[in-house]
């Protein structure tokens, strides 16, 4: 069994910064693309940023220039640094792994963490 556990969310004032972390645990051999998504109340879940195992990144237009996604493959961890936060960034942020390959020839696809709340006050 594998798990994705997010941390780093919380309450921050507009203009502030947060660093979210998502650690994958279990007998993991490798993970393909990892990403951060968010879902605000009454809205659909949307992609914030994604990063391939090789380090190529993709960002939503709404966070370009304010967000930086990175990963440590040795630690099976992905990070999202968010700066200049705005009230509209308020949402539950979810970590996603496109594919997780374990040491036991078992693969998990489209795997999600439980989410971490980010609230930006004006």
């Amino acid at each position: 069994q594998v798990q994705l556990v997010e941390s780093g969310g919380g309450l921050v004032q507009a203009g502030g910064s947060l660093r979210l972390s998502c650690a994958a645990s279990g007998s993991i051999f490798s993970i393909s693309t990892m990403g951060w998504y968010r879902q605000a109340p009454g809205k659909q879940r949307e992609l914030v940023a994604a990063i391939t195992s090789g380090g190529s990144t993709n960002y939503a237009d709404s966070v370009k220039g304010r967000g930086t996604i990175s990963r440590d493959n040795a630690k099976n961890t992905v990070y999202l640094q968010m700066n200049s936060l705005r009230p509209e960034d308020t949402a539950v942020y979810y970590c996603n792994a496109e594919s997780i390959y374990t040491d036991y020839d078992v693969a998990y696809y489209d795997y999600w963490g439980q989410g971490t709340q980010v609230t930006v006050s004006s």
Side-chain angles (χ1 to χ4, degrees):
Q1 187 72 13
V2 299
Q3 278 190 308
L4 294 177
V5 179
E6 299 103 332
S7 60
L11 175 64
V12 63
Q13 287 189 331
S17 299
L18 277 178
R19 188 190 194 213
L20 305 181
S21 300
C22 171
S25 62
S27 298
I28 294 171
F29 176 73
S30 66
I31 306 175
S32 64
T33 299
M34 299 186 77
W36 286 96
Y37 290 73
R38 66 187 181 187
Q39 187 166 20
K43 294 189 177 181
Q44 289 189 330
R45 191 173 297 188
E46 64 176 1
L47 174 70
V48 177
I51 184 168
T52 68
S53 57
S56 297
T57 59
N58 180 43
Y59 295 93
D61 288 343
S62 59
V63 303
K64 281 181 181 176
R66 302 189 298 122
T68 303
I69 189 170
S70 60
R71 65 189 285 172
D72 184 333
N73 290 332
K75 295 182 179 180
N76 293 320
T77 300
V78 63
Y79 307 94
L80 179 67
Q81 176 71 40
M82 289 283 291
N83 301 321
S84 301
L85 284 162
R86 306 165 180 168
E88 53 264 39
D89 293 318
T90 296
V92 178
Y93 284 69
Y94 296 92
C95 175
N96 174 268
E98 187 177 88
S99 304
I100 302 176
Y101 302 96
T102 69
D103 294 332
Y104 302 107
D105 291 329
V106 174
Y108 298 86
Y109 301 101
D110 197 25
Y111 211 76
W112 294 89
Q114 82 287 352
T116 186
Q117 176 71 46
V118 172
T119 302
V120 183
S121 62
S122 56

